[in-house]
Amino acid sequence: MIKQKAVVFFLNFNLTCLCRIFCCWWLTGLVLLVGILQCGGVSEAFADSNNIRKVMSSREITEKSLGLEPLGDKVIAYFAGRMISEGTLRRNSVMQLSGDQDVIALPFKQNGVLVGCKYRTCREKKFWQVKGTQKWLFGLDDIKDADEIIIVEGEIDKLAMEEAGFLNCVSVPCGAPQKVSAKELPPQEKDTGYQYVWNCKEHLDKVSRIILATDGDIPGQALAEELARRLGKERCWRVHWPKKDEFCCFKDANEVLMFLGRDALKEVIENAELYQLQVPEQAMQCT
């Protein structure tokens, strides 16, 4: 009799477990089905696995969570020395780290939403970025409807371009490589150093003309080449920075703005030439 009760209890216990497992499977399937229907069907729901991965891996950030505050007089004065106006700073949502007027905060936004932030010190020129966020082009919303864009190597160069009247400008988020890679382009998911290109692909694909205004040194030219390889050289143009003296040229957009003025920077962009297929072995630069 005891054996019979034990068998009945065992069967009831297992049936209960099986029912619970089945219910979990059923609910999971229902949730997935609702998600697919909301996305417009199976093909749309799984059409872009990269975008799904990006959404899942990006953390939500706010100005408050990052401890940002409006710019103080010290940072405004620093930018004024570089010929960047307070109005340009406000339009680009430039802020500072709360309690530290030496740290500039450069927010990255997409459709007006904060998706990343890069910091730099005024004096020592140190850089770092918020962890756990995707890489994006700085100023992405400014090229949303643009047919022609300018890409620069640094955020301050993007601000300098605005002072010269060019709003259709973005900056790469992480500087330049030391040299051009001799390897073939990796698949998008493995192209870690240039993920910002693929993250912004929807915007960049709409553009017919891209002016590469990266720095005039060897790394800057290497960056221009790497960008052109990914964006298509047939739609890329390259600027030539004016000479500083008989030995070297100005390095970037902000330097031209500071020493030659807005009109000179505007002329550099207007005189951009169709991108050359080969990168010069040496750049004319100051050592």
Side-chain angles (χ1 to χ4, degrees):
M1 186 68 178
I2 294 173
K3 289 183 178 180
Q4 288 178 343
K5 288 182 178 180
V7 170
V8 170
F9 174 79
F10 179 78
L11 290 172
N12 287 336
F13 177 79
N14 279 279
L15 286 171
T16 301
C17 289
L18 287 171
C19 287
R20 288 177 178 174
I21 292 171
F22 175 78
C23 288
C24 287
W25 284 349
W26 184 81
L27 287 171
T28 301
L30 181 61
V31 170
L32 287 173
L33 179 60
V34 170
I36 290 171
L37 290 174
Q38 287 178 341
C39 289
V42 176
S43 60
E44 279 192 43
F46 297 97
D48 193 346
S49 59
N50 286 332
N51 283 342
I52 294 173
R53 177 182 59 79
K54 291 170 193 170
V55 171
M56 295 298 290
S57 64
S58 297
R59 57 180 265 217
E60 192 172 318
I61 56 176
T62 63
E63 292 176 358
K64 184 177 180 180
S65 69
L66 296 180
L68 305 184
E69 65 181 14
L71 293 177
D73 294 339
K74 181 179 177 180
V75 177
I76 293 173
Y78 166 79
F79 277 108
R82 305 192 70 158
M83 303 297 290
I84 307 295
S85 66
E86 190 174 348
T88 294
L89 297 175
R90 282 199 304 268
R91 203 193 73 81
N92 288 274
S93 304
V94 179
M95 304 185 77
Q96 68 183 36
L97 197 58
S98 181
D100 192 343
Q101 286 199 31
D102 188 50
V103 180
I104 301 164
L106 299 155
F108 287 68
K109 293 187 176 183
Q110 183 183 25
N111 296 321
V113 177
L114 187 63
V115 293
C117 189
K118 182 176 177 179
Y119 304 97
R120 65 162 288 161
T121 56
C122 294
R123 291 174 294 181
E124 299 176 358
K125 201 178 178 181
K126 292 182 178 179
F127 303 89
W128 67 96
Q129 296 192 37
V130 172
K131 294 182 179 179
T133 57
Q134 295 288 329
K135 293 285 193 301
W136 302 91
L137 291 166
F138 178 70
L140 184 62
D141 285 351
D142 285 339
I143 65 167
K144 185 183 298 185
D145 301 314
D147 182 57
E148 177 180 308
I149 67 170
I150 304 166
I151 300 180
V152 293
E153 191 174 321
E155 293 80 11
I156 292 184
D157 291 324
K158 185 264 192 289
L159 303 178
M161 286 293 182
E162 184 162 327
E163 293 295 338
F166 299 104
L167 298 182
N168 57 328
C169 179
V170 290
S171 168
V172 302
C174 47
Q178 290 303 307
K179 61 181 181 179
V180 178
S181 173
K183 300 178 181 178
E184 293 184 0
L185 288 182
Q188 291 184 21
E189 63 275 10
K190 293 183 179 180
D191 196 14
T192 55
Y194 298 90
Q195 275 302 305
Y196 57 87
V197 173
W198 308 118
N199 290 343
C200 303
K201 189 174 185 298
E202 180 183 350
H203 292 74
L204 296 173
D205 281 350
K206 300 175 183 178
V207 177
S208 62
R209 186 170 184 254
I210 302 171
I211 298 175
L212 301 175
T214 53
D215 290 3
D217 55 14
I218 294 296
Q221 293 193 43
L223 175 61
E225 174 68 8
E226 293 291 2
L227 290 173
R229 292 172 71 195
R230 290 161 175 80
L231 299 170
K233 294 181 179 181
E234 69 283 352
R235 58 178 180 147
C236 288
W237 296 65
R238 185 79 170 102
V239 302
H240 297 283
W241 300 114
K243 285 188 176 183
K244 181 183 289 186
D245 53 42
E246 58 180 319
F247 301 107
C248 60
C249 293
F250 287 99
K251 179 174 175 284
D252 55 31
N254 188 229
E255 200 170 76
V256 171
L257 176 67
M258 290 172 62
F259 290 97
L260 301 181
R262 294 181 178 86
D263 291 341
L265 181 53
K266 186 175 181 180
E267 186 177 348
V268 169
I269 299 303
E270 291 174 345
N271 291 333
E273 298 178 357
L274 190 62
Y275 190 81
Q276 301 297 314
L277 298 182
Q278 300 294 327
V279 177
E281 293 183 1
Q282 294 183 341
M284 182 178 285
Q285 56 179 310
C286 292
T287 56

